[in-house]
Amino acid sequence: MNSITGKHDLLQLFMLHRNDLVGYANSIIGERHAAEDVVQDAYFRVIGVEKRKQDRLVLEEPVGYLYQIIRNLCLDSLRKKTRENSYIRKEDLSALTADTGQISPEQHAGARQELIVLRMALNELPEKTRQAFELHRFSGLKLADIARQLDVSLGTAHSMVASALEHCKESLKKKTE
């Protein structure tokens, strides 16, 4: 069946390929229930397109069309989830100070300890690497400006900032272990 002309043909095609379509969506999203929702949304979207077609054009390669719609819906779903997670993280941070407007003594002590660990980690770095990191993170300079200021190539400036960041992450990870 290479083309379909009506809703009945589309329903048969959809039912024939439903498990494969759900599996495809699941491979992108990683959650079976969300994949099933995406496949259902794709079916209704195709039905809506078919209803709007007044000249009853034939839909060529309908299975490929369904896969493309599912892929796009999956990507939209992942983007939405990323935005929601970002919003939730911001809410979590604001919840830390929501009750009194100030952080608890335990949170304050933990933050001070992390600052001490970061200060020590920065002091362990080579001088130019530390300077590059501080210029990038604390002064907000772009890598090209850092490269000019430290008289190094752009790639070297990038490498220095990246290695300093990785060193700080590793130091904080060791602290929590």
Side-chain angles (χ1 to χ4, degrees):
M1 186 184 297
N2 285 340
S3 65
I4 58 172
T5 56
K7 228 174 16 177
H8 182 70
D9 290 340
L10 181 61
L11 179 59
Q12 286 181 334
L13 179 75
F14 179 78
M15 294 308 292
L16 181 66
H17 294 280
R18 185 181 180 285
N19 288 336
D20 293 335
L21 295 169
V22 170
Y24 175 67
N26 189 38
S27 72
I28 297 172
I29 293 181
E31 297 176 3
R32 181 81 178 177
H33 69 278
E36 289 175 357
D37 290 344
V38 165
V39 171
Q40 183 176 357
D41 289 347
Y43 173 72
F44 287 124
R45 191 165 286 194
V46 172
I47 291 293
V49 168
E50 287 298 309
K51 282 182 185 176
R52 288 190 299 266
K53 287 185 179 179
Q54 295 178 4
D55 54 4
R56 304 300 291 161
L57 294 173
V58 175
L59 180 60
E60 298 295 327
E61 299 300 328
V63 176
Y65 184 57
L66 279 171
Y67 275 97
Q68 186 61 45
I69 289 174
I70 288 170
R71 179 183 176 278
N72 291 342
L73 288 173
C74 286
L75 294 176
D76 289 346
S77 175
L78 290 172
R79 284 186 203 106
K80 180 181 177 188
K81 192 176 207 176
T82 300
R83 281 192 310 272
E84 288 172 353
N85 287 343
S86 171
Y87 180 72
I88 289 169
R89 279 192 297 269
K90 288 177 187 173
E91 277 187 350
D92 289 346
L93 289 175
S94 65
L96 292 175
T97 60
D99 295 334
T100 63
Q102 296 187 13
I103 62 173
S104 71
E106 293 84 12
Q107 293 167 329
H108 188 274
R112 285 185 73 67
Q113 185 62 35
E114 286 180 352
L115 284 174
I116 291 169
V117 169
L118 285 174
R119 189 175 298 131
M120 289 171 46
L122 289 174
N123 287 335
E124 294 170 353
L125 294 170
E127 182 64 21
K128 273 194 171 184
T129 302
R130 184 187 55 75
Q131 285 177 341
F133 181 77
E134 289 175 350
L135 289 170
H136 185 65
R137 290 295 178 154
F138 304 137
S139 300
L141 289 180
K142 296 186 186 297
L143 291 173
D145 297 331
I146 294 168
R148 274 193 298 278
Q149 189 167 336
L150 297 179
D151 195 29
V152 296
S153 71
L154 180 61
T156 301
H158 180 270
S159 175
M160 291 163 65
V161 170
S163 69
L165 181 61
E166 192 58 37
H167 180 71
C168 289
K169 284 181 184 179
E170 288 298 317
S171 296
L172 283 172
K173 190 189 303 184
K174 288 177 186 173
K175 176 222 170 228
T176 60
E177 292 176 345

